[in-house]
Amino acid sequence: MQLDEAMHAALAAAGLPGAALSPPIGGVVSPIHRAVENHCCLATGEGSDPVFVKRRHDDMAAFITPEHVAEASGKAGELDIAPRLLHADLASGILVFEALGAEWAWGHIDVLRRPAILENLLMAKRAFNKAAPLSETRSVFDLVADYRRLADAPDVILPAPVLTVAAAAVQIAAAIAAAGIDTVPCHSDGASSNVMVGPGNTVRLVDFEWARQADPAHDLGTVLAELLPFDGEALLAIEIATGKADARMLARARLYGAADDLMWALWGFISAARSPRKHVEFFKYAEWRLLRARTVVEGPHFETWLRKV
């Protein structure tokens, strides 16, 4: 296969000629979002530890830039909050990482809500905020606009509530811009499966496909939207992350969470229409993310949060 040949070439460049490839990790987007953007597998060379290899799927080319992924992944690995990037073949979009052992498991919402693990997750995100600036600078609002343009075609089915949430996202963007924004490197991905949990409640962040310079409240917002739907527990998480249970930060994070959910909903609707991988339930995932965004923008606190940011 052409893909296997490209992977073997990348592995040889990484010092693992002739490495054996495992079967690919099955891509699934619902109920867990895992191995969807990339073809993922393990590779083992003679006398060496396994490595993790991934290559962007062709149908994700409109969304993912390998150079940006490699840059963010490399910086996160250097901070010891993510697996180390061992080799990047940017021409083929193949990245080779150190592989985490069998003692590490994909994150699940019930596990990530545990206080010790949640604190470690928030601290890992904060550590990445202190990395050197990233090249990708588009905000979540920029991506929503970009994805709306991609979706502006007869083949993409957009449910009517997309228009309502998109109009609310314009209000959110204006309110946050008026309040001012300082950007830092952000993981910008709240999916629970993009957190690995290991011994002693340790965590590692994975999948930096959407990492970029962003408002740190956006990073918080993705975590709160995924894990903490109730504001009392969300304020406790904000206190862990920032040192203060700040109602303004809660408002800003909740609004960012809604914009992020809209972005992913658009991604899902576009992918449902155009990806050849029809076994992946992109549309179902998109409807869920859209529903989650609607709970914010159609909820009782929306106008109050707009005023608080």
Side-chain angles (χ1 to χ4, degrees), residues 4-274:
D4 285 354
E5 291 175 2
M7 285 195 162
H8 281 299
L11 287 165
L16 290 168
L21 299 178
S22 73
I25 298 170
V28 59
V29 76
S30 177
I32 189 171
H33 186 160
R34 185 180 71 194
V36 175
E37 290 80 12
N38 299 280
H39 176 102
C40 303
C41 64
L42 294 171
T44 307
E46 186 174 352
S48 63
D49 294 329
V51 296
F52 183 84
V53 191
K54 68 180 183 180
R55 179 188 181 274
R56 183 192 66 189
H57 283 296
D58 291 340
D59 56 4
M60 292 288 116
F63 305 106
I64 295 169
T65 303
E67 289 84 355
H68 292 161
V69 184
E71 178 191 27
S73 299
K75 289 178 178 178
E78 291 168 2
L79 292 169
D80 202 29
I81 57 169
R84 287 184 303 116
L85 177 64
L86 303 177
H87 178 73
D89 183 340
L90 299 180
S92 60
I94 294 174
L95 304 180
V96 182
F97 296 88
E98 66 176 350
L100 299 177
E103 69 275 17
W104 290 82
W106 305 99
H108 293 269
I109 288 176
D110 61 323
V111 173
L112 298 180
R113 282 176 176 163
R114 295 173 188 169
I117 295 175
L118 177 61
E119 180 173 2
N120 287 338
L121 167 59
L122 293 170
M123 291 303 100
K125 300 263 189 178
R126 293 284 284 181
F128 190 57
N129 294 162
K130 298 174 183 176
L134 300 175
S135 300
E136 174 60 277
T137 59
R138 289 178 297 168
S139 72
V140 66
F141 307 111
D142 294 330
L143 293 181
V144 165
D146 288 348
Y147 295 1
R148 283 290 305 279
R149 285 189 286 271
L150 287 174
D152 188 19
D155 62 322
V156 180
I157 299 172
L158 293 181
V162 167
L163 299 178
T164 303
V165 179
V170 172
Q171 291 181 274
I172 295 169
I176 289 175
I181 302 169
D182 294 318
T183 66
V184 296
C186 288
H187 187 210
S188 299
D189 192 334
S192 56
S193 57
N194 286 340
V195 182
M196 302 296 292
V197 181
N201 297 323
T202 52
V203 303
R204 292 290 184 272
L205 305 178
V206 297
D207 289 356
F208 286 78
E209 274 70 10
W210 272 264
R212 55 190 179 274
Q213 286 293 113
D215 185 338
H218 176 244
D219 240 3
L220 263 177
T222 65
V223 174
L224 300 187
E226 179 82 352
L227 303 179
L228 304 172
F230 300 110
D231 289 347
E233 58 188 8
L235 279 169
L236 289 175
I238 288 171
E239 184 173 11
I240 291 170
T242 68
K244 180 182 178 182
D246 187 342
R248 288 184 179 274
M249 178 61 79
L250 174 65
R252 199 174 179 104
R254 286 294 191 212
L255 294 175
Y256 266 121
D260 189 75
D261 279 330
L262 172 61
M263 182 201 78
W264 280 105
L266 290 167
W267 170 88
F269 291 129
I270 294 165
S271 299
R274 296 177 182 161

Side-chain angles (χ1 to χ4, degrees), residues 171-172 174-176 178-179 247-248 251-252 255 300-309:
Q171 291 181 274
I172 295 169
I176 289 175
R248 288 184 179 274
R252 199 174 179 104
L255 294 175
H301 304 301
F302 180 65
E303 296 295 336
T304 300
W305 283 339
L306 278 178
R307 291 192 294 269
K308 278 188 175 181
V309 297

